Amino acid sequence: MHQIVSAPVDTSRRWWVLATVVAAQFMFGVDAFIVNVAIPTIATELHVSAAQIEAVIAVYLIAYATLVVTGGRLGDIYGARNVFISGVAGFTVTSLWCGLAQSGPELIAARLAQGATAALMVPQVLATLHLLFADASRARAFGIYGIVLGLAGAAGFVLGGILVTLDLAGLGWRAVFFVNVPFGVLIMAVAFRIMPTFQRRAGTRLDIPGAIVLFTGLLCLIGPLLFGHDLHWSATVWLVMTAGAAIIAAFLRLERAVARRGGMPLIDLALLSDAAFMRGLAAVFFFFFANLSFYLVMTIYLQKGLQIPPLQAGLVFLPLALTFVIASRHSGARAKHRGTLVLIEGCAVQIAGLAALVIAIEWIDTPSAVVLALALTIFGYGQGLVMAPLSSAVLSTVKPVSAGAASGIYGTTAQIANAAGVAAIGAVFFAIESNHASRPALFAACALFTLSIIACAAFLTWMRQVTR
C-alpha cells in the first residue's frame, strides 16, 4: 500500500528549484568530459599506465550506469529531495578525493565512488522536473534541462583546457576535480532551503537482491564493451557479455517474483508494458549511441589528426554549444504544437551536419578549426532539437508515482548507449586510425553515427504512432 508521508508539494519556487537541480546535472555532465583534456597531465604526474588512464574514464561511467536505476528507486522510496541532497554531498566529497589522489589506483577508486554518488543525484533531477512541471510550463522546463545537458559537454572540454593551461595555484589537473567542491556545497545549501518534499512511499524497503543482480549484470555487459579493444576482443570478453545478458534476464524474472510477493521491485514492471515509453527508450539508446562517441572521435581527430592544441580543440565546440542553445529554445515551444515530429526533424538536421563535416574534410586537405566549427554548428542545432524535448517526450506517459524509477531507467539507457557507442564506434575509428589514416577513420565513424541517428528517428516515428 502506498502511504503519503509528506505535505502537499510547494510549487511556488519551482523555477528556483529547477535552477538548483539542473546546476547539479550540469556539474555531472561537465565532469564526464573535463577529464579527457587533463588525461595527458594525469598520466605524467601519477605515472599511470594506459590501461589505468582508460579506467579513470570508464569506471565513472560504469558506476553511474549500473547504479542509476537504484538511485531512481531510492528517490521513490525516501523522497527525491533527501536522495538528491545526499547524492550532491557524496559527489562533492568524492570530487575532493579525486583531486587529492596520489596514485593511479587511488584515482580510479575515487572515480568509481564519484560515479556511484552521481547515480543518487542525477535521477532526482528528471523526477523533480516531472513532478513540479505537470502544466503548460512543462515544455519550457524540459527545454532548459536539455540546454544544460548539451552545454555541459562543450563546457567540460573548454573548462578542462583552461584549468590545465592556467595551472591555478600550481594545482594542475587537480583543479578539474576541485572546481566541483564549492559548487557542490552551494547546490546543497540551496536545495536544503528551497527544494520541496515530495510524496514518497513509506514502509517499503529497497529491493537489495534486485539491485545487486542488476549491478552485476550491467557491469558484465558494459565493462567488456569499454575494455574489449584493449583485450583484443578475446573469447573471455564475449563470454562475460553473454553472462551479463543471462544475468539481466534472471533479473527480470526476479523482479516479477518480488512483485508477486507484494514487494516493490527495483524496476516498476508496469513501465515495461508502456509501449510509448519502451519505444522511446529505444530512440534514446540510438540517440546517445552517437552522442559521447561523437565528441570522443572529434576530440581525437582534432588533437591527433590535425595537431590542434587541447584548448583550441575545446573551443572548436563552442559554436556547436551556441547553436544547441538556440535549437533547445526553439524545440520546447515547437514540441508543444508538433510533438515528436520536431525530434524527427532534429535527427535529419544532425545527419545534414555530419554530411557537411565530411564534405569539409574531403574538400580541404587540412581544414582549419574555424571551418570545422562551422560544420559542427549544423550538427549542434540538430542535437538541440532532439535532446531538449526527448526526456519529456519519453516520460510523458509515465505516472508521477513512477517518475523516479522511469528517470532511472532513462539514465541507465542513455549511459549504456554512451558506453556502447564509445566502444563500438571507437573500435572502428581506432582500427582505421592506427594505420595513420585519420580521415578515413573519421568518415567511417560518421557513417556509423548516421545509421544510429536514422534508427533513432525510426523509433521516434514508431513512438509517435502510439502517442497521437
Side-chain angles (χ1 to χ4, degrees):
M1 178 177 295
H2 300 171
Q3 180 181 352
I4 298 175
V5 295
S6 61
V9 177
D10 178 12
T11 61
S12 61
R13 293 183 289 188
R14 62 179 182 171
W15 292 105
W16 287 106
V17 175
L18 169 69
T20 303
V21 296
V22 297
Q25 177 74 54
F26 183 80
M27 183 170 63
F28 164 74
V30 166
D31 222 74
F33 290 91
I34 197 171
V35 179
N36 293 307
V37 181
I39 280 297
T41 309
I42 294 174
T44 300
E45 289 195 14
L46 295 185
H47 307 289
V48 298
S49 66
Q52 287 177 330
I53 281 298
E54 291 175 354
V56 168
I57 299 173
V59 296
Y60 179 75
L61 185 63
I62 290 174
Y64 175 80
T66 53
L67 292 173
V68 69
V69 171
T70 301
R73 183 52 96 196
L74 284 172
D76 286 339
I77 298 174
Y78 298 108
R81 178 181 182 272
N82 296 333
V83 179
F84 175 78
I85 293 174
S86 298
V88 175
F91 193 83
T92 303
V93 171
T94 52
S95 294
L96 180 62
W97 182 16
C98 288
L100 294 173
Q102 298 299 310
S103 67
E106 183 184 0
L107 180 57
I108 291 169
R111 285 285 283 175
L112 184 70
Q114 191 184 34
T117 56
L120 294 178
M121 174 179 71
V122 174
Q124 318 316 322
V125 177
L126 271 179
T128 299
L129 267 61
H130 188 61
L131 294 168
L132 284 183
F133 295 92
D135 55 13
S137 299
R138 180 182 178 87
R140 182 184 174 194
F142 275 88
I144 294 172
Y145 167 80
I147 292 172
V148 170
L149 203 63
L151 283 177
F157 284 117
V158 176
L159 182 59
I162 291 174
L163 289 174
V164 172
T165 302
L166 291 180
D167 192 20
L168 298 173
L171 292 174
W173 62 268
R174 299 179 188 276
V176 305
F177 296 111
F178 287 150
V179 73
N180 290 334
V181 176
F183 288 106
V185 171
L186 179 61
I187 290 170
M188 274 191 294
V190 175
F192 186 80
R193 183 174 181 83
I194 70 170
M195 195 169 176
T197 300
F198 300 105
Q199 294 179 1
R200 59 188 178 92
R201 299 179 181 183
T204 306
R205 299 167 62 184
L206 177 67
D207 177 18
I208 299 294
I212 294 172
V213 171
L214 180 63
F215 176 84
T216 305
L218 290 178
L219 188 63
C220 289
L221 280 174
I222 298 174
L225 281 174
L226 290 170
F227 297 107
H229 178 73
D230 292 337
L231 299 174
H232 307 292
W233 298 104
S234 66
T236 303
V237 171
W238 298 105
L239 183 63
V240 172
M241 290 179 65
T242 302
I247 292 171
I248 294 299
F251 165 75
L252 293 175
R253 290 195 295 271
L254 174 64
E255 293 300 275
R256 291 189 177 96
V258 171
R260 285 195 298 270
R261 293 196 301 267
M264 182 179 179
L266 190 65
I267 289 181
D268 192 335
L269 296 176
L271 294 172
L272 302 182
S273 61
D274 186 333
F277 179 70
M278 296 304 294
R279 294 174 187 181
L281 281 184
V284 168
F285 178 89
F286 285 107
F287 176 79
F288 283 97
F289 188 85
N291 179 46
L292 188 59
S293 55
F294 173 80
Y295 292 103
L296 172 67
V297 166
M298 281 304 303
T299 301
I300 294 172
Y301 177 75
L302 290 173
Q303 295 191 33
K304 292 186 64 178
L306 301 180
Q307 300 299 311
I308 297 176
L311 180 56
Q312 290 181 331
L315 292 174
V316 168
F317 292 98
L318 275 184
L320 181 154
L322 293 175
T323 53
F324 184 98
V325 171
I326 295 170
S328 297
R329 290 178 62 87
H330 291 168
S331 63
R334 292 173 64 186
K336 289 174 61 177
H337 304 290
R338 307 187 66 191
T340 54
L341 187 61
V342 174
L343 285 76
I344 298 169
E345 292 171 351
C347 290
V349 175
Q350 285 184 86
I351 294 172
L354 291 172
L357 180 64
V358 168
I359 291 172
I361 294 171
E362 177 65 24
W363 284 3
I364 305 173
D365 288 336
T366 307
S368 66
V370 174
V371 171
L372 292 173
L374 290 174
L376 289 178
T377 58
I378 303 173
F379 183 83
Y381 189 83
Q383 265 208 330
L385 288 178
V386 179
M387 189 179 290
L390 182 59
S391 54
S392 178
V394 174
L395 295 175
S396 62
T397 59
V398 175
K399 296 178 180 179
V401 73
S402 298
S407 62
I409 295 173
Y410 181 102
T412 298
T413 301
Q415 295 307 321
I416 289 174
N418 271 326
V422 167
I425 298 179
V428 172
F429 178 84
F430 286 124
I432 301 174
E433 192 263 348
S434 63
N435 295 321
H436 306 288
S438 295
R439 184 178 297 183
L442 184 62
F443 289 167
C446 285
L448 294 175
F449 295 143
T450 300
L451 291 175
S452 184
I453 294 168
I454 290 173
C456 174
F459 277 104
L460 286 171
T461 302
W462 199 20
M463 183 181 74
R464 190 165 181 263
Q465 294 174 358
V466 179
T467 55
R468 279 180 176 177

